């Protein structure tokens, strides 16, 4: 995989998805933070169903605190691990109210200090809510990066570092969403749809399918 191939790959992904974005529903940075915290080991569809009920009632840190842990659980109990997620979200809301005037912080250090927020979640918030050129490596991006050889690595940190080094600057802001959506709908784990892939001839995967 060389720089010319990578550039063409991202040109094609951009052409096929001009305005990529998360499939989580949100309108404010806090709504996005809440949705991402709830999305661990859960589908975006499932999270969206829960937040469609939650956000009209409580979509600020103080409003979530006013619900309390048990009240919050009633809205998110359809999501996996909802007990621990409710606890983390309540703790996060306390910090946001007490230390950040109820606003979502815009630095990685402050984001990662929030309960339940790791590097991946911080990268999602920085990228999607605030437009920073960060790349959050989830299972889809990890798979696509290794399979195509765009940025092979043994762990998510190594893949992230390589993506930040190799993805051309003009594509870096949207690379996160292009790679996730490509992995979710085309370069799937069990049966990649190589035959309908816009980057098939540039991809270095050895076991291509005809789907």
């Amino acid at each position: 995989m060389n720089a010319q191939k990578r550039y063409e790959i991202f040109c094609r992904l951009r052409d096929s998805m001009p305005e990529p974005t998360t499939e989580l529903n949100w309108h404010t940075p806090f709504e996005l933070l809440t949705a991402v915290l709830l999305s661990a080991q859960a589908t975006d569809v499932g999270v969206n169903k829960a937040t469609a009920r939650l956000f009209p009632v409580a979509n600020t840190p103080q409003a979530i605190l006013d619900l309390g842990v048990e009240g919050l659980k009633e809205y998110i109990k359809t999501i996996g691990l909802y007990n621990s997620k409710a606890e983390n979200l309540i703790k996060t809301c306390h910090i946001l109210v007490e230390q950040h005037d109820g606003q979502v912080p815009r630095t990685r250090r402050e984001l990662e200090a929030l309960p339940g927020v790791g590097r991946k979640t911080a990268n999602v918030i920085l990228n999607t809510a605030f437009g920073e050129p960060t790349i959050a490596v989830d299972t889809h991006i990890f798979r696509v990066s290794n399979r195509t050889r765009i940025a092979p690595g043994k762990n998510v940190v190594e893949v992230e570092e390589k993506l930040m080094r190799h993805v051309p600057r003009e594509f870096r802001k949207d690379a996160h969403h292009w790679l996730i959506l490509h992995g979710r709908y085309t370069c799937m784990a069990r049966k990649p749809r190589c035959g309908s892939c816009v980057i098939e001839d540039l991809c270095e995967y050895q076991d291509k399918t005809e789907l």
Side-chain angles (χ1 to χ4, degrees), residues 4-39:
Q4 184 176 354
K5 270 189 178 182
R6 289 191 185 95
Y7 188 85
E8 180 61 26
I9 283 172
F10 283 101
C11 279
R12 293 187 192 180
L13 291 175
R14 179 178 60 187
D15 290 344
S16 66
M17 294 178 275
E19 297 181 355
T21 189
T22 179
E23 294 185 314
L24 292 169
N25 294 332
W26 66 284
H27 295 95
T28 67
F30 178 71
E31 287 188 354
L32 178 63
L33 175 61
T34 298
V36 175
L37 284 174
L38 296 177
S39 70

Side-chain angles (χ1 to χ4, degrees), residues 69-128:
V69 174
E70 295 306 317
L72 176 58
K73 287 179 183 179
E74 285 301 307
Y75 288 95
I76 67 171
K77 62 185 178 182
T78 55
I79 300 173
L81 307 176
Y82 74 93
N83 284 309
S84 60
K85 289 176 181 179
E87 297 281 353
N88 280 335
L89 184 52
I90 289 290
K91 291 175 184 176
T92 287
C93 288
H94 274 295
I95 294 173
L96 293 179
V97 168
E98 293 167 4
Q99 300 180 20
H100 302 288
D101 296 321
Q103 301 300 308
V104 176
R106 299 185 63 149
T107 70
R108 182 188 303 282
R109 179 182 61 80
E110 290 172 316
L111 285 168
E112 291 186 9
L114 300 173
V117 177
R119 184 176 183 84
K120 183 178 74 172
T121 297
N123 277 336
V124 171
I125 303 304
L126 290 170
N127 178 269
T128 306

Side-chain angles (χ1 to χ4, degrees), residues 18-191:
E19 297 181 355
T21 189
T22 179
E23 294 185 314
L24 292 169
N25 294 332
W26 66 284
H27 295 95
T28 67
F30 178 71
E31 287 188 354
L32 178 63
L33 175 61
T34 298
V36 175
L37 284 174
L38 296 177
S39 70
Q41 298 183 45
T43 66
D44 288 356
V45 172
V47 172
N48 288 338
K49 286 181 180 179
T51 56
R53 294 176 58 240
L54 173 65
F55 289 159
V57 176
N59 70 339
T60 67
Q62 187 59 58
I64 296 286
L65 290 175
D66 290 343
L67 284 178
V69 174
E70 295 306 317
L72 176 58
K73 287 179 183 179
E74 285 301 307
Y75 288 95
I76 67 171
K77 62 185 178 182
T78 55
I79 300 173
L81 307 176
Y82 74 93
N83 284 309
S84 60
K85 289 176 181 179
E87 297 281 353
N88 280 335
L89 184 52
I90 289 290
K91 291 175 184 176
T92 287
C93 288
H94 274 295
I95 294 173
L96 293 179
V97 168
E98 293 167 4
Q99 300 180 20
H100 302 288
D101 296 321
Q103 301 300 308
V104 176
R106 299 185 63 149
T107 70
R108 182 188 303 282
R109 179 182 61 80
E110 290 172 316
L111 285 168
E112 291 186 9
L114 300 173
V117 177
R119 184 176 183 84
K120 183 178 74 172
T121 297
N123 277 336
V124 171
I125 303 304
L126 290 170
N127 178 269
T128 306
F130 301 127
E132 299 289 339
T134 58
I135 300 176
V137 179
D138 69 348
T139 54
H140 296 299
I141 293 183
F142 185 79
R143 179 177 66 255
V144 171
S145 297
N146 276 285
R147 185 181 275 169
T148 62
R149 311 305 290 173
I150 292 172
K154 295 178 181 177
N155 55 61
V156 294
V157 173
E158 188 175 335
V159 168
E160 180 187 338
E161 290 173 348
K162 287 190 176 181
L163 284 170
M164 293 301 291
R165 188 162 67 246
H166 293 311
V167 174
R169 185 172 296 275
E170 69 183 275
F171 302 117
R172 210 167 289 164
K173 178 178 173 293
D174 290 319
H176 166 80
H177 294 301
W178 283 323
L179 294 173
I180 283 179
L181 294 172
H182 188 68
R184 187 171 287 170
Y185 297 111
T186 302
C187 194
M188 296 173 288
R190 293 186 180 179
K191 293 184 178 179

